Amino acid sequence: VDLHGSGSNPITMNILSPWYDYIKERIFTIVEENGIEYLKIDFAMVKSAYVMDVEHSGSHDSTAQYKGREEFLYLSYMKLMCFFDELGEAFPELIIDCTFELWGDWHIIDYALIKHADVDWISNFGAAPPQGSRDVRRLSWHHGLVVPSSCMMIGNQQMDAENHEFSFISNLGHTPIMLGDPRNLSVEEKAWYLKYYNWYRKMDEKFEVSKYYQTSDVFPEPKASNWDGFARFNGEKQGGMLCFFRNGSSEETRKFLIPWLISDREYVVKNVDGELVGEFSGAELLQDGFQVSIDSRHKAEVFSIASTIVINKP
């Protein structure tokens, strides 16, 4: 059944029916026979994410298993979580992606999902940059305050779109993913992706940045005419990454406080090429902030920041 179609009454399968035994066997077999390492389950087992009317969402039947919609939903989600547990036990190295379509609602992610699955392809934004890039950051900005951002994947920004750099850096706020045909990329564009992705991996290896996501009261919600940003900063290791975005703002330069630092430490800020941007005391960045210049609208800058020494006090 095409859940992306324009039909007014898309049909979904019932996880409490004998169909479950069939689809479970097929998924386990496909993973085992093909050595699958990442499994994205992108169809409905409980209710359709595209049916907003609760009167037509899920099962309202009364059967020997359940009486009405509420019991159906409770038992269905319990069974779905057990399915994830069994899949993870059988294939411990498998990354299980419970998409919003499988969980049954737009933009949905919660602690029950990430307790039993690994990641959630939480939504799709198909608009070209800069709007699509901004949409991605806005969703991450709202959800990342509560849910670990590394558990979120957000589509569908295209790697070969104009100003794709804006989208890729936006995706560094969660588990980064881009769609598109890499054959359409120029040699220079492929080199750009390789450089930035390798830089992100090094940041994660050194500071475990994928475990962190901060905006505090420093970075506002992304909007069409402002600046925004985020940090992925390890407070224990006192290092990580800072991302800044100039949207449609007329200002070419902004200052941002960096509130996750220690005042008596010294910090080194570098760009993606490893070139020194500046050396600052923690107190300076806490009180006066870090100045960023971006000379064009709808562009981004990303930096590494790391503590080097403890400043000697008199």
Side-chain angles (χ1 to χ4, degrees), residues 7-161:
S8 60
N9 188 29
I11 298 171
T12 61
M13 302 308 294
N14 185 339
I15 195 173
L16 301 181
S17 72
W19 167 83
Y20 170 75
D21 298 319
Y22 165 78
I23 199 65
K24 175 183 174 182
E25 187 275 332
R26 292 299 302 140
I27 290 174
F28 274 64
T29 299
I30 289 171
V31 172
E32 183 174 15
E33 290 183 350
N34 296 279
I36 301 296
E37 297 180 356
Y38 163 70
L39 179 66
K40 177 185 178 184
I41 309 176
D42 200 24
F43 54 83
M45 288 191 185
V46 180
K47 62 188 184 74
S48 172
Y50 303 96
V51 176
M52 308 303 173
D53 185 355
V54 296
E55 296 300 321
H56 297 90
S57 175
S59 174
H60 294 256
D61 294 338
S62 291
T63 70
Q65 292 177 279
Y66 56 87
K67 305 297 181 184
R69 182 175 185 269
E70 285 70 26
E71 283 191 19
F72 165 76
L73 291 177
Y74 175 78
L75 294 174
S76 295
Y77 280 112
M78 291 295 293
K79 192 161 189 175
L80 184 54
M81 289 185 283
C82 288
F83 166 71
F84 293 144
D85 293 342
E86 292 176 18
L87 190 60
E89 184 176 349
F91 307 101
E93 302 302 316
L94 178 67
I95 298 173
I96 303 171
D97 180 359
C98 172
T99 66
F100 73 93
E101 290 177 323
L102 180 57
W103 209 237
D105 274 301
W106 281 93
H107 300 176
I108 190 170
I109 187 170
D110 54 42
Y111 293 122
L113 187 159
I114 61 177
K115 179 180 179 181
H116 298 274
D118 299 299
V119 294
D120 173 8
W121 191 300
I122 188 173
S123 192
N124 294 313
F125 295 104
Q131 179 184 329
S133 316
R134 195 168 58 246
D135 291 339
V136 163
R137 296 200 308 279
R138 184 183 297 113
L139 184 61
S140 189
W141 186 88
H142 281 283
H143 286 64
L145 300 176
V146 179
V147 176
S149 61
S150 59
C151 296
M152 295 188 291
M153 302 173 76
I154 305 176
N156 281 339
Q157 292 299 287
Q158 301 294 310
M159 65 165 54
D160 51 354

Side-chain angles (χ1 to χ4, degrees), residues 212-223:
Y212 302 90
Y213 175 86
Q214 298 103 339
T215 55
S216 187
D217 57 351
V218 173
F219 297 113
E221 179 181 5
K223 295 183 179 179

Side-chain angles (χ1 to χ4, degrees), residues 242 261 265-271 274-282 284-285 289-291 303-308:
L242 304 171
L261 311 182
R265 296 278 186 93
E266 186 172 285
Y267 294 85
V268 171
V269 177
K270 297 181 179 180
N271 63 20
E275 299 169 341
L276 180 66
V277 174
E279 297 180 354
F280 309 89
S281 69
E284 181 181 357
L285 294 174
F290 176 67
Q291 182 169 297
F303 304 97
S304 67
I305 182 170
S307 172
T308 55

